């Protein structure tokens, strides 16, 4: 059963990819659910701009490393993404993914990530929030963020962190944030990482939908966030009111 939705925030979802996005946004608003809508390419970001009129939706622009790896996005798209992100308060989803066959495109991915982060560093925006995809690349991502001093100038969020324990410690030391979802908490390592994340750096996400292009449901999003909060409560052994209140306050401060 879903509890009071007044203070729930989904800090990483692909609302714009849902064919019923406007309906989901309206339902979410009725539930008091605020959504950070991350995008995977400049074209996706432009298409998602139609959702900006919803008061409970924050629109991010990004360039997902999978789109670099697949060849769907090239240098022109990287340049467009860098320009868009430089002007935006919300940036995501960007990052690096060197898993499996994607390792072959590591140089192109690194170029795109560096270009976008450098553009953001050169064009600071007050309250900027960056949602980062990092698979087998946490050290490389942190190197780039540190090179441009981004953790001190922006809120850098690792979405669904899966690096090593040493990389987690490094990200924590740099002041990074972490958004946690149900799939992360389904693993032993993910649950241990969720226990170690400082309370004031802990956020909730769904990464919905499961497959881009699938329809969404605001009630399901809220239910998943609530269940994730319940698991976190069990893992961290903190007062549920303190845990929920801190996550809500942090999310509200980041999204405005």
């Amino acid at each position: 059963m879903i509890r009071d939705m007044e203070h729930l925030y989904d800090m990483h979802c692909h609302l714009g990819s849902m064919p019923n996005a406007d309906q989901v946004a309206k339902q979410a608003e009725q539930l008091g659910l605020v959504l950070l809508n991350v995008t995977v390419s400049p074209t996706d970001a432009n298409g998602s701009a139609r959702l900006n009129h919803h008061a409970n939706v924050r629109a991010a622009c990004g360039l997902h490393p999978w789109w670099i790896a697949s060849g769907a996005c090239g240098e022109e798209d990287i340049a467009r993404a860098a320009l868009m992100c430089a002007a935006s308060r919300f940036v995501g989803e960007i990052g690096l993914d060197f898993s499996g066959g994607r390792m072959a495109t590591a140089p192109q991915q690194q170029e795109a990530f560096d270009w976008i982060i450098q553009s953001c560093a050169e064009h600071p925006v007050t309250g900027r929030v960056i949602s980062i995809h990092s698979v087998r690349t946490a050290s490389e991502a942190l190197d780039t963020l540190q090179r441009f001093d981004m953790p001190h100038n922006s809120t850098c969020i690792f979405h669904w962190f899966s690096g090593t324990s040493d990389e987690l410690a490094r990200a924590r030391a740099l002041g990074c944030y972490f958004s946690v979802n149900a799939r992360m908490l389904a693993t032993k390592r993910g649950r241990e990482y969720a226990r170690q994340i400082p309370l004031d750096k802990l956020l909730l996400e769904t990464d919905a939908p499961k497959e881009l292009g699938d329809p969404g449901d605001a009630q399901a999003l809220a239910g998943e966030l609530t269940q994730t909060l319940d698991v976190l409560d069990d893992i961290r052994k903190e007062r549920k009111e303190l845990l929920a209140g801190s996550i809500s306050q942090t999310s509200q401060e980041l999204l405005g």
Side-chain angles (χ1 to χ4, degrees):
M1 181 178 178
I2 298 174
R3 296 190 295 262
D4 180 10
M5 297 295 102
E6 184 180 358
H7 301 298
L8 273 182
Y9 296 80
D10 189 340
M11 295 297 294
H12 188 105
C13 70
H14 296 272
L15 175 67
S17 82
M18 302 175 190
N20 60 336
D22 278 296
Q23 178 185 0
V24 173
K26 290 176 183 177
Q27 292 174 343
E29 187 170 18
Q30 292 170 357
L31 292 170
L33 176 58
V34 182
L35 309 170
L36 177 59
N37 174 41
V38 297
T39 53
V40 298
S41 70
T43 300
D44 184 23
N46 284 332
S48 293
R50 72 187 191 282
L51 301 170
N52 290 352
H53 70 279
H54 293 285
N56 62 319
V57 175
R58 303 293 181 268
C61 55
L63 180 54
H64 197 296
W66 290 2
W67 271 247
I68 300 292
S70 70
C73 290
E75 188 144 331
E76 182 178 338
D77 298 289
I78 298 173
R80 287 176 60 204
L83 283 173
M84 294 173 71
C85 293
S88 178
R89 183 182 167 201
F90 300 107
V91 175
E93 180 171 1
I94 63 172
L96 301 165
D97 191 323
F98 294 174
S99 61
R102 298 187 180 101
M103 183 65 189
T105 59
Q108 294 94 321
Q109 291 184 47
Q110 190 72 62
E111 177 191 12
F113 187 60
D114 288 356
W115 195 343
I116 291 170
I117 292 298
Q118 182 175 0
S119 295
C120 289
E122 292 174 350
H123 300 86
V125 173
T126 301
R128 176 175 276 141
V129 173
I130 304 174
S131 187
I132 300 165
H133 174 109
S134 174
V135 177
R136 299 185 182 178
T137 58
S139 290
E140 290 84 354
L142 288 166
D143 286 347
T144 297
L145 295 176
Q146 196 165 15
R147 189 182 321 132
F148 294 105
D149 202 28
M150 290 307 291
H152 296 107
N153 298 314
S154 301
T155 297
C156 297
I157 305 172
F158 277 89
H159 121 80
W160 192 352
F161 187 83
S162 60
T164 67
S165 57
D166 286 345
E167 289 168 335
L168 176 65
R170 181 182 172 194
R172 288 178 53 183
L174 287 174
C176 295
Y177 290 65
F178 305 85
S179 54
V180 171
N181 61 33
R183 282 171 283 180
M184 177 177 171
L185 298 183
T187 68
K188 182 179 180 180
R189 182 169 64 171
R191 290 191 294 273
E192 176 57 27
Y193 285 177
R195 187 187 65 80
Q196 296 179 29
I197 295 170
L199 181 57
D200 64 346
K201 306 295 184 184
L202 182 62
L203 304 163
L204 301 178
E205 64 157 82
T206 64
D207 199 23
K210 187 174 182 180
E211 298 290 340
L212 296 184
D214 286 351
D217 179 89
Q219 196 81 7
L221 295 180
E224 183 174 336
L225 292 169
T226 301
Q227 290 170 6
T228 299
L229 186 61
D230 287 341
V231 176
L232 283 171
D233 176 61
D234 184 60
I235 292 169
R236 296 175 64 94
K237 307 300 182 185
E238 292 162 330
R239 283 195 305 112
K240 187 168 292 185
E241 295 79 7
L242 173 65
L243 178 66
S246 176
I247 292 174
S248 175
Q249 180 179 344
T250 302
S251 303
Q252 184 179 33
E253 290 172 354
L254 296 182
L255 296 187

